Amino acid sequence: MLKKTDETTLQRPDLCMKGPRMPNYKLTYFNLRGRAEIIRYVFAYAGIKYEDHRLEGADWPKIKPTIPFGKVPILEVDGVIIHQSLAIARYLARETGLAGQTPIEQALADAIVDTIDDFITLFPWAEKNQEVKEKAFNDILTNKAPELLKALDAFLGDNKWFVGKSVTWADFYWDVCSTTLLSYKADLVEKYPRLSALRDRVEALPAIAAWIQKRPKTTI
Ligand SMILES: N[C@@H](CCC(=O)N[C@@H](CS)C(=O)NCC(=O)O)C(=O)O
């Protein structure tokens, strides 16, 4: 595992690498934050270099059949293709000390990620009819979100991070997903100052702040 020691080391993957060489990483996704952004956050925080390959939508029909499960994101690690965004992010989180410090912390971080992801997958992201899509989004954000937010807020309590004493990929996933949801409902977390403060803490981490500043600006 790459040991997380301090911010300086995190900016110097050569210092935190255990083996003789950092793998060659190529991330393929569309030009969106979407399901790749959690992966990009882990790379950014750990200061790991990777190719951020962003596909053109028009090229997708040609490319899809060449990808093992026909979906992105995928991460190539020295040519080995890993699919499923959360499997990729979990692998990198383990490699960089962001998965949780003990097996129990890791299970709790996984559980928070899965809980947020269950919610994210309720939305009809690919719906073409804008009216239908908007109605479904409003319904979920108004009627279903409070149950999730209340539970996340109770789980976080007055702690700094969701799990343990340091930031994990679960905190990152909250930031990434809530950023997108806030673009659909600006007052989504207004009633949850602790969840809002957690977003601020994640976004104030120097490597994450730098990434947010420099990443391509996309709607989702
Ligand atoms: N559970 C998968 C979902 C992958 C997925 O549905 N990717 C979408 C983009 S967000 C995709 O590849 N869509 C194009 C297609 O299905 O042809 C993950 O988290 O990676």
Side-chain angles (χ1 to χ4, degrees):
M1 193 174 89
L2 303 177
K3 269 270 167 263
K4 190 177 61 156
T5 49
D6 60 31
E7 290 297 326
T8 316
T9 310
L10 291 170
Q11 302 307 318
R12 293 283 310 274
D14 53 322
L15 295 181
C16 41
M17 258 188 66
K18 193 178 160 204
R21 183 185 76 78
M22 184 65 77
N24 210 316
Y25 292 115
K26 178 178 176 184
L27 174 66
T28 299
Y29 193 59
F30 299 111
N31 185 26
L32 300 170
R33 297 189 311 276
R35 287 201 162 272
E37 197 63 12
I38 178 67
I39 301 164
R40 299 189 186 113
Y41 266 42
V42 177
F43 275 136
Y45 185 77
I48 294 175
K49 266 189 143 164
Y50 67 105
E51 184 185 343
D52 189 10
H53 180 53
R54 294 173 182 242
L55 300 168
E56 291 296 330
D59 296 335
W60 177 240
K62 239 181 13 216
I63 293 166
K64 185 176 167 79
T66 70
I67 292 181
F69 289 83
K71 304 256 181 210
V72 282
I74 54 165
L75 180 70
E76 291 169 65
V77 184
D78 285 339
V80 174
I81 300 176
I82 308 175
H83 68 291
Q84 286 290 347
S85 58
L86 298 184
I88 298 166
R90 186 178 295 110
Y91 152 71
L92 292 171
R94 284 186 188 137
E95 289 287 279
T96 55
L98 282 165
Q101 300 305 308
T102 65
I104 286 285
E105 283 190 13
Q106 290 173 3
L108 290 172
D110 284 356
I112 291 296
V113 168
D114 285 346
T115 297
I116 297 170
D117 201 61
D118 281 354
F119 184 70
I120 287 294
T121 52
L122 292 176
F123 292 86
W125 297 99
E127 174 61 56
K128 295 271 187 295
N129 182 321
Q130 281 314 307
E131 207 180 315
V132 170
K133 186 170 177 176
E134 207 174 301
K135 195 167 174 300
F137 268 60
N138 282 338
D139 175 47
I140 298 165
L141 288 165
T142 308
N143 301 318
K144 298 212 163 71
E147 192 188 348
L148 169 75
L149 297 173
K150 196 166 164 245
L152 285 176
D153 178 64
F155 186 92
L156 175 64
D158 293 320
N159 298 306
K160 189 169 176 193
W161 308 110
F162 272 132
V163 178
K165 299 249 176 294
S166 47
V167 68
T168 67
W169 71 304
D171 303 304
F172 289 177
Y173 205 51
W174 164 242
D175 187 64
V176 162
C177 292
S178 56
T179 295
T180 294
L181 297 179
L182 281 163
S183 72
Y184 292 96
K185 192 175 189 324
D187 64 354
L188 187 73
V189 294
E190 218 166 60
K191 288 198 195 123
Y192 305 90
R194 296 187 297 195
L195 291 177
S196 190
L198 176 58
R199 284 177 44 74
D200 294 343
R201 269 195 293 284
V202 170
E203 293 184 11
L205 294 165
I208 298 295
W211 168 246
I212 290 173
Q213 187 75 28
K214 83 165 204 204
R215 71 185 171 192
K217 304 289 171 258
T218 59
T219 51
I220 55 168

